[in-house]
Amino acid sequence: MTEEWLRNRRGTDMQACPLGSLPAGIKEEARMDRLRIAQAQMPVITDRDTLADYLKKTMETCTEKNAELLALPEMFCCPYDIKSFPVFAEPEGGSVWQLCSDLARSFHIWLSAGTIPERTADGRIYNTAYVFSPDGRQAAKHRKMHLFDIGVKGGQHFRESDILSAGDSVTVFSTEFGPVGLAVCFDIRFPELFRLMALKGARIVLVPAAFNLTTGPMHWELLFRSQAVNNQLFVVGTSSARDESASYVSWGHSIAADPWGRILSQADAGEELVFTELDLTEVEKVREQIPVMNSLRTDVYQVREESDL
Ligand SMILES: NC(=O)CCC(=O)C(=O)O
């Protein structure tokens, strides 16, 4: 069914999963159909030693509970405010990056290392998500593509674009669980990005996030469920824990939505480590039973990457 779906993308030359490679020793035919994830709805921790201790303890719990992937929130190592991004920004391969790579390797677990402010050689700063495979290699990197610029009357105001640059790549990487997509928080509002990840073969999309008290109650659950149901894949959103004293107060409510649009798990607002088992055969089941992608009117409309135009 998935192959038929991918063939249906007339006008595109995209491969099912052109990015990355399977971790050493894993063959495509050995794809696994169950994935036990852990989502750390954690406080923002800026002190490196405290962060290392916290993540190590979290990894130990993941090992005890047989989790195969740990997901962290957006900006888990830097306060989510414009002034802090340049202060905590580090290049790819910096100290937090290295810590995450080391932990993934030591505990032999996939680590979706939330986002870290990334400073580039030309002085730009990106809101960057990294994923490390169980051998500690960087398996994926996604620079937040849609910057969070909003001004809700009487509610949340924020302008990431005052300091951050936007990424410009769709990110899907290979795992033994099949192709996995990666997006960051505000990216969840853009159906075109999620459709492109689905067309590239993603069965799961990981979304480090930090919604707020204005848009969280209105849109958080709705957006995760709608991207899941529209694209018939799992969407996993991991938020920071709520801290009422922060300049930006996070909504929390880390969530996992399945390809039918159902919520498998959802945290409350505070610190929590949530475990959820994803049955990845649900992707094929829903695509078999409700084959929306076979009815795409690609003769009338298409979602294509710039490189395919
Ligand atoms: N950190 C973010 O991108 C926040 C996105 C958000 O709150 C929204 O409503 O969208």
Side-chain angles (χ1 to χ4, degrees), residues 104-140:
R105 192 179 52 252
S106 305
F107 287 88
H108 203 67
I109 189 172
W110 282 92
L111 178 59
S112 167
T115 74
I116 301 171
E118 178 201 3
R119 187 187 299 283
T120 58
D122 62 4
R124 289 174 202 262
I125 303 172
Y126 294 91
N127 186 344
T128 302
Y130 300 102
V131 177
F132 297 94
S133 57
D135 59 5
R137 278 187 310 133
Q138 181 179 299

Side-chain angles (χ1 to χ4, degrees), residues 18-24 110 137 139 173-175:
L19 306 175
S21 57
L22 286 173
W110 282 92
R137 278 187 310 133
F173 59 101
S174 296
T175 74

Side-chain angles (χ1 to χ4, degrees), residues 74-75 80 85 127 144 146-150 152 156 158 160 184-190 208-216 218-220 223 248 251:
E74 183 178 28
M75 296 288 178
Y80 189 72
F85 298 151
N127 186 344
K144 188 175 193 173
H146 305 91
L147 296 180
F148 179 47
D149 287 353
I150 69 165
V152 179
Q156 186 68 52
F158 209 92
E160 280 191 327
V184 178
C185 203
F186 198 55
D187 284 337
I188 190 81
R189 290 186 179 270
F190 297 85
F211 266 45
N212 54 79
L213 301 191
T214 303
T215 59
M218 282 195 291
H219 297 157
W220 171 260
L223 285 163
Y248 179 92
W251 172 238

